[in-house]
Amino acid sequence: MSKHKSDVWQGTLGLMVLKTLNALGPQHGYGIARRIEQTSGKRLSINPGTLYPVLLKLEQEGSIATEWGVSDNNRQAKFYRITRSGKRDLARTEQEWERAKEIVDRFQSLKGEPA
Amino acid sequence: MFVGGRRDSELARELEAHLEMQIEANVRAGMSPGEARRSALVAFGGIENVKDRVRDQRGLPWLECSWSDVRYGIRTLRNRPGFTLVAVLTLALGIGATTAIFSVVYGVLIKPLPYPDSDRLVSVRHAAPGLVPRTSGDTFGSSASMYLTYRDQNRSFEHVGLWTDSELTLTGLGEPEQIRVLAVTKGILHALAVQPALGRGFSDTEYLPGADGPAPVILSHAFWQRRFGGDKSALGRTLLLNSRPSRIAGILSADFRFLNLTLQPDVIGPIQIDTNRIVTWDTVNQIILDNLNYNGLARLKDGVTLSEANADLARLLPIWIEAWPARPGQREAVTSWRVTPALRPLKNEVVGDIAGMLWLLMGTVGAVLLIACANIANLLLVWADERRPEFAIRAALGAGRGRIAAALLHESFVLGAMGAVVALPFAYAGLKFFAVVAPANLPRIKDIAIDWPVVAFSVASAILSSLLCSIPALRQAFHYNTALGSGTRSGTASRERNRTRTALIAVQVALALVLLVGAGLMIRTFQALTAVDPGFTDPEKIQIGRIFIPPAVIPEPERFTRAYRDILERITALPGVTAAAFGAGMPLEGRAFLSSISVQDRPDAVGEAPPTRSFNSISPRYFETLGIRLVAGRDITWADIDGTGNVALVSENLARELWDEPQAAVGKRIRQSRNAAAPWLEIIGVTQDVRADGLHQRPPSIVYLPVIRKGFNLRAITYAIRSDRSGQESLLTEVRQAVWASNPDLPVFNVRTMQDIYSASLVQTSFMLELLAIAGAIALVLSVVGIYGVLSYVVSQRSREIGIRLALGARPTALKRMFVLYGLGAAAIGVGAGLAGAVVFSRWMSSMLFDVRPLDPATYVVVIVLLVVAVSISAYVPAQRAMRVDPAETLRHE
């Protein structure tokens, strides 16, 4: 079975979650999944089986906190919000990504040997 | 442990909400409700699957316990009753034995003494390196003068006191009886914070000499029940103790126990002391410098450490030496002893040297439990192997690795719980057995019970065992979830699983070897001890019993010694008595008096402490009665005693030490050191050495003196009677009649045969021997069963391979050898590891060994041979069965 949408690369979903929560404030799991898909321009598809373990992992690491609240359409839902230590983590991770991206860009710009 | 339940329901609500939002979004996008739901579910990818993946992320899946898992575990186990029965019984045996021994360790070593703030109680002991070398570990009690010095000038004690226990004759309540009594100064009952349950304690004036009227006494609860039937009117009544009236002032509560005295006191009375006199029952002594024969006990002030208190007493000892009256030369002598304080926590004193033995036993049963765990681990491993298809299907249906591991763990925990439940009656029975075989002098035996900390220990060991048992199977489980295809066919066992099995066999063999070596060394020790010549012969034919004549019954020494001789003559005349004698004490009775000696015409050694010798005082025919040979010279006669009485016999080792030849000692003259006024005693005979201090101790050098001599009034003596009727009630009745014919107020006590004393001196060795032998036997049986089980399984797994090999013409003997060698190979690793363990273990128990080196080659060789034979047999039987595989049948299955 081939997929027309990419799975999220290992390790990057956490960054996307933090970034989303940082930009948009507290969200429930469904909301996070939709926002990330929108931000990616529908190029990503977020599977709950991938998302919820990552949310739990971030919570265990103390980057996000949860509380029960009411959604837009009056439904009980668990809301996630980024914590102070989550923001620090986000800043550090973003820097690392920035550096990694630069390095990859440099290689991308290498020209092939003239034939 | 059950927080998982709440977290799971929260997770379910969250995912439910997620799904509903997706459905709503789909409806908004224009789908029909049914279509919206289907599409959302497909996108979701299975709610249970998501839950499992979140649970995996939670980590440590075994901490997530839910009742459904437990129920599933029980159901699974119920389908395998045979396996479950074996596993539960094995676990129960291990946990039960461990719990029983732990209850002993807890009751004796760990539980605080039954007094408030008991960690502040100390025993006041002293070392005297000038008198006995510090290395001997011997310490001394306190003298009355020390007590007075400490009491008045110390800065460390809240209370300090002296106590001494002895026996008195009780009359005036019907039958005369010898009772155990405890005498205490002020401070002892205060330090222990003891109040009588009925009546009152002693007043301050009652602790001073010269108080009017009968002395007050406090009765033990047991004595009160026994002699007064628990009647409260006993308070205020009068007892005659050694014919001296005492008034009952109080009665103790039933749970009071005084330290570790094997024979608890029936009656407690005050030691009355001022700066001149110390009065203990009917004995009055002047207060002088030495006589360190009282037991000191103190309660430290809150916050004072043992070393601070020691320093405090060290400051007072020079003051003590100067302050009190002393005989001529005594002050110099005491100074030369170099007395220093050696306070010990009271608990150490109470527990004594038993700690090593108990921890050794704890290690032993711990090893048995480990072997049991290894067995069950192997069973679970085999079972997990058989269940690979089941696991593979569960994995294919979406169960995470954590789910499968959790299922295995729950089964293991259910096993552990059942094992723990079955273990409690085992532990109880074990404790009953322990009480029967344990040495009677085991301290605090009344404190041993299955109480809450013991139950907690039992539960903890059950949990730990369950975890240990399931580790190998768990490790396997993590490789199963992709194995649907290969799992259904019995392929050859993987290398990894083989390694685990080999390791488990090796662990079992190693532990069994350690325990068997321990048991073997104890057997050798027991043999060596029973082979020792104690010096006396036919202990079963020697009846002994003690008599005490209180001053109030016969005051004059001439008359009571006459009474002793009268009684002896009557006993000697009894039918069937071949010889009889009496003395201050019998061998192994522990009544020797210690002192050094001087030899006439030979200067005393200067500077170092002279060696101490044992002294015993004996009547004529003592050696004949006990069967001790005369090596040279002659026995004491009544003519010697009626004459000057200045004669002595010495043991052969003393004669050889001083004069090289037993014969050369005869005619030489000796006397007790440090008593220049005493007459010289002529050595008239030399006797065979006797192991008077214990079978495991070297025979002491002994000086035998006449039991009756000038200025020496021995009121308590032991009779020895050689007769074929020893131990029979008819002889004892006749002996009592002989005593009462002389004086009707004299009880005969400590009645037993020399065989009883002899056996008692072996009891610690036979106790350790029995327990180690039982542990070793269990270990051996469990290991053999374990190896048999593993080999049977390996053979059944490889029946395909065996069939092919047989079909290709392999000889059955070669194949059998292959399996036996596999078993032996695993066992060899175990023997190697076990040898290292046994070397450590046997050093640990070296203090319990006698005449056997910890590395006794014979023991090691026998144990290794025994193990190799046992392993070979348990490997051969399944290998033999494997050869019955029909090659055609196997190949058809392919």
Side-chain angles (χ1 to χ4, degrees):
Chain A
M1 188 177 90
S2 72
K3 286 178 183 165
H4 59 280
K5 286 182 182 174
S6 338
D7 268 341
V8 179
W9 307 296
Q10 201 76 36
T12 57
L13 184 56
L15 174 70
M16 296 176 191
V17 169
L18 289 179
K19 196 82 182 151
T20 306
L21 291 179
N22 194 39
L24 302 172
Q27 297 283 325
H28 44 68
Y30 175 79
I32 296 171
R34 292 294 84 81
R35 297 291 177 207
I36 292 176
E37 285 171 2
Q38 280 167 15
T39 312
S40 73
K42 300 271 177 187
R43 268 171 278 191
L44 288 177
S45 156
I46 302 300
N47 185 326
T50 318
L51 174 68
Y52 284 98
V54 167
L55 287 174
L56 178 60
K57 179 166 173 283
L58 290 172
E59 190 185 344
Q60 284 168 343
E61 291 167 357
S63 300
I64 58 177
T66 67
E67 61 193 352
W68 284 87
V70 182
S71 72
D72 299 342
N73 12 5
N74 261 345
R75 187 179 292 286
Q76 282 280 323
K78 197 171 177 182
F79 280 78
Y80 296 85
R81 65 177 169 77
I82 189 162
T83 63
R84 193 177 303 226
S85 111
K87 286 182 181 173
R88 275 201 301 276
D89 278 354
L90 180 61
R92 200 175 54 239
T93 322
E94 272 181 323
Q95 273 178 8
E96 281 164 17
W97 267 106
E98 211 51 52
R99 277 214 304 281
K101 209 170 77 190
E102 265 175 44
I103 295 167
V104 175
D105 283 347
R106 281 168 194 270
F107 282 90
Q108 292 289 351
S109 60
L110 279 182
K111 298 276 186 313
E113 288 284 317
Chain B
M1 212 169 207
F2 294 91
V3 291
R6 191 176 53 78
R7 291 206 304 206
D8 270 354
S9 73
E10 222 175 73
L11 178 63
R13 275 170 63 205
E14 180 176 19
L15 297 182
E16 192 61 37
H18 184 117
L19 194 61
E20 292 296 333
M21 289 184 214
Q22 182 70 61
I23 292 169
E24 279 166 24
N26 287 354
V27 169
R28 276 200 302 277
M31 290 187 194
S32 75
E35 204 181 339
R37 174 159 212 93
R38 254 194 317 280
S39 162
L41 277 171
V42 168
F44 208 88
I47 285 194
E48 285 309 312
N49 183 27
V50 175
K51 281 185 188 169
D52 265 349
R53 293 174 74 169
V54 172
R55 285 192 200 107
D56 276 354
Q57 174 60 37
R58 279 184 201 154
L60 300 176
W62 42 83
L63 295 180
E64 308 282 328
C65 192
S66 69
W67 282 115
S68 68
D69 280 322
V70 171
R71 274 200 303 275
Y72 182 78
I74 293 173
R75 222 165 34 235
T76 320
L77 290 171
R78 212 164 44 200
N79 291 337
R80 298 278 304 245
F83 165 85
T84 308
L85 185 73
V86 169
V88 167
L89 282 182
T90 310
L91 257 186
L93 189 68
I95 296 175
T98 318
T99 303
I101 297 297
F102 179 76
S103 69
V104 175
V105 166
Y106 178 77
V108 175
L109 300 181
I110 300 175
K111 201 193 264 188
L113 295 176
Y115 312 109
D117 292 324
S118 60
D119 53 327
R120 278 160 54 199
L121 294 172
V122 293
S123 161
V124 183
R125 311 277 314 163
H126 299 88
L131 197 59
V132 287
R134 206 181 278 274
T135 48
S136 73
D138 287 335
T139 56
F140 299 87
S142 308
S143 71
S145 51
M146 270 174 176
Y147 158 68
L148 292 172
T149 309
Y150 294 165
R151 184 192 68 184
D152 297 339
Q153 301 190 44
N154 87 82
R155 296 169 190 159
S156 318
F157 299 145
E158 195 169 305
H159 299 286
V160 57
L162 297 180
W163 62 272
T164 176
D165 65 323
S166 55
E167 290 170 348
L168 293 179
T169 304
L170 168 73
T171 47
L173 276 182
E175 227 179 286
E177 185 190 350
Q178 194 76 8
I179 59 167
R180 304 288 320 172
V181 295
L182 170 72
V184 295
T185 65
K186 191 181 169 191
I188 294 285
L189 299 181
H190 304 80
L192 299 179
V194 178
Q195 286 290 334
L198 285 174
R200 59 176 182 86
F202 306 132
S203 70
D204 283 359
T205 52
E206 283 166 342
Y207 283 116
L208 292 171
D212 293 334
V217 290
I218 299 174
L219 306 189
S220 78
H221 191 267
F223 180 77
W224 176 53
Q225 291 291 337
R226 179 157 59 83
R227 293 308 295 247
F228 294 97
D231 183 357
K232 286 180 185 164
S233 72
L235 286 174
R237 285 180 62 178
T238 304
L239 300 174
L240 289 178
L241 295 177
N242 281 5
S243 306
R244 185 167 159 268
S246 302
R247 174 153 298 145
I248 301 171
I251 292 153
L252 292 164
S253 69
D255 56 359
F256 173 76
R257 288 184 54 73
F258 188 74
L259 314 192
N260 64 332
L261 297 183
T262 313
L263 299 168
Q264 284 287 309
D266 297 313
V267 167
I268 302 180
I271 294 179
Q272 297 162 326
I273 185 169
D274 62 16
T275 50
N276 299 312
R277 291 175 297 167
I278 176 164
V279 182
T280 312
W281 307 110
D282 50 352
T283 315
V284 183
N285 282 310
Q286 299 303 307
I287 304 264
I288 51 162
L289 195 55
D290 69 352
N291 184 13
L292 308 182
N293 286 333
Y294 294 95
N295 304 288
L297 188 153
R299 174 177 286 272
L300 296 177
K301 283 182 186 159
D302 206 1
V304 173
T305 66
L306 210 58
S307 55
E308 285 164 0
N310 269 324
D312 186 25
L313 298 194
R315 170 182 69 86
L316 295 179
L317 282 170
I319 302 175
W320 161 69
I321 290 185
E322 291 310 316
W324 296 93
R327 289 191 302 268
Q330 194 186 22
R331 215 177 297 282
E332 292 70 30
V334 171
T335 308
S336 75
W337 296 350
R338 305 203 302 279
V339 180
T340 52
L343 296 174
R344 287 177 76 182
L346 190 63
K347 192 152 132 195
N348 292 11
E349 183 98 349
V350 167
V351 170
D353 52 6
I354 205 82
M357 187 178 95
L358 290 184
W359 284 119
L360 193 81
L361 282 180
M362 193 72 216
T364 305
V365 290
V368 170
L369 181 57
L370 277 182
I371 294 178
C373 284
N375 251 356
I376 298 169
N378 247 329
L379 287 174
L380 285 172
L381 195 58
V382 166
W383 192 21
D385 240 13
E386 288 171 10
R387 290 164 71 186
R388 288 170 77 189
E390 176 197 334
F391 295 142
I393 289 167
R394 289 177 72 170
L397 292 178
R401 296 188 304 186
R403 296 300 310 151
I404 292 176
L408 279 175
L409 257 162
H410 282 101
E411 281 157 26
S412 187
F413 274 129
V414 170
L415 277 182
M418 296 203 293
V421 169
V422 181
L424 280 179
F426 274 23
Y428 189 74
L431 214 50
K432 284 271 168 259
F433 174 75
F434 186 89
V436 173
V437 298
N441 60 354
L442 186 78
R444 305 187 73 188
I445 198 144
K446 291 256 164 56
D447 287 339
I448 299 169
I450 298 188
D451 41 19
W452 284 115
V454 174
V455 172
F457 174 86
S458 171
V459 169
S461 57
I463 292 174
L464 193 69
S465 326
S466 316
L467 274 176
L468 279 178
C469 293
S470 53
I471 287 172
L474 282 178
R475 288 182 35 178
Q476 289 310 313
F478 283 112
H479 301 297
Y480 286 148
N481 50 353
T482 54
L484 186 56
S486 63
T488 49
R489 208 172 62 177
S490 55
T492 46
S494 77
R495 179 171 297 180
E496 162 73 12
R497 256 171 295 151
N498 253 336
R499 257 210 307 273
T500 312
R501 282 201 191 95
T502 310
L504 286 172
I505 293 180
V507 165
Q508 289 187 321
V509 170
L511 289 170
L513 183 124
V514 171
L515 295 187
L516 288 172
V517 163
L521 289 174
M522 286 317 288
I523 289 173
R524 298 269 291 162
T525 295
F526 193 76
Q527 282 173 340
L529 275 178
T530 45
V532 156
D533 177 7
F536 49 85
T537 57
D538 313 318
E540 72 286 353
K541 288 186 182 167
I542 305 171
Q543 180 72 53
I544 66 170
R546 263 176 95 69
I547 294 183
F548 172 70
I549 301 186
V553 175
I554 308 179
E556 306 86 355
E558 305 75 38
R559 275 184 57 215
F560 76 70
T561 51
R562 186 66 243 167
Y564 285 146
R565 278 174 77 165
D566 271 356
I567 293 168
L568 182 64
E569 277 160 26
R570 283 177 219 276
I571 291 174
T572 312
L574 292 177
V577 172
T578 46
F582 63 91
M586 295 297 146
L588 302 176
E589 224 190 343
R591 297 191 189 276
F593 163 74
L594 298 179
S595 178
S596 52
I597 58 169
S598 304
V599 180
Q600 197 179 28
D601 303 327
R602 191 184 289 200
D604 288 345
V606 181
E608 63 197 277
T612 52
R613 319 292 184 180
S614 281
F615 280 71
N616 197 356
S617 302
I618 55 162
S619 79
R621 299 186 75 191
Y622 174 88
F623 302 108
E624 182 190 343
T625 307
L626 288 175
I628 301 168
R629 265 183 306 111
L630 269 179
V631 179
R634 62 172 181 88
D635 191 6
I636 293 173
T637 64
W638 287 113
D640 292 324
I641 291 173
D642 294 335
T644 62
N646 293 336
V647 292
L649 285 94
V650 295
S651 58
E652 184 177 351
N653 52 9
L654 180 58
R656 286 191 189 279
E657 178 190 327
L658 294 175
W659 297 282
D660 300 327
E661 274 293 313
Q663 195 62 48
V666 177
K668 297 290 192 301
R669 288 161 157 255
I670 56 172
R671 71 178 171 203
Q672 215 181 307
S673 296
R674 288 188 269 122
N675 189 354
W680 291 102
L681 307 174
E682 182 183 337
I683 295 174
I684 54 170
V686 176
T687 67
Q688 182 192 356
D689 293 339
V690 179
R691 296 203 178 235
D693 295 343
L695 295 174
H696 57 290
Q697 308 255 6
R698 283 214 314 245
S701 47
I702 307 178
V703 178
Y704 296 95
L705 304 175
V707 71
I708 299 167
R709 49 187 201 273
K710 204 172 283 168
F712 179 76
N713 310 323
L714 195 62
R715 285 186 173 273
I717 55 161
T718 306
Y719 281 96
I721 304 159
R722 178 172 285 265
S723 167
D724 289 338
R725 292 163 63 211
S726 283
Q728 295 177 17
E729 198 50 45
S730 65
L731 177 71
L732 297 179
T733 309
E734 287 167 29
V735 167
R736 279 194 198 101
Q737 281 161 358
V739 172
W740 288 336
S742 176
N743 190 316
D745 270 349
L746 297 180
V748 182
F749 55 99
N750 281 2
V751 176
R752 45 196 175 157
T753 62
M754 280 304 286
Q755 181 67 43
D756 296 334
I757 304 184
Y758 178 79
S759 305
S761 70
L762 285 175
V763 74
Q764 182 169 335
T765 303
S766 53
F767 170 67
M768 280 306 289
L769 168 64
E770 281 164 32
L771 291 184
L772 273 174
I774 291 171
I778 295 175
L780 186 64
V781 169
L782 285 178
S783 308
V784 164
V785 169
I787 293 164
Y788 173 84
V790 169
L791 262 287
S792 300
Y793 181 70
V794 169
V795 165
S796 76
Q797 285 291 288
R798 293 171 69 173
S799 62
R800 192 164 61 101
E801 177 199 335
I802 296 167
I804 294 170
R805 285 190 183 213
L806 285 173
L808 292 177
R811 279 189 328 208
T813 43
L815 280 177
K816 271 190 279 191
R817 194 183 309 136
M818 184 180 79
F819 284 109
V820 173
L821 282 180
Y822 166 71
L824 283 178
I829 301 172
V831 167
L835 279 177
V839 167
V840 175
F841 187 75
S842 54
R843 286 207 187 284
W844 191 16
M845 61 186 285
S846 62
S847 68
M848 278 164 230
L849 301 181
F850 173 77
D851 213 17
V852 180
R853 278 174 300 149
L855 300 181
D856 178 50
T859 305
Y860 280 76
V861 168
V862 168
V863 167
I864 291 172
V865 168
L866 178 70
L867 271 174
V868 167
V869 169
V871 169
S872 304
I873 293 173
S874 57
Y876 183 81
V877 174
Q880 175 69 31
R881 220 173 28 210
M883 296 315 118
R884 287 193 227 120
V885 169
D886 179 356
E889 184 70 21
T890 328
L891 294 177
R892 240 194 320 276
H893 278 296
E894 287 304 298

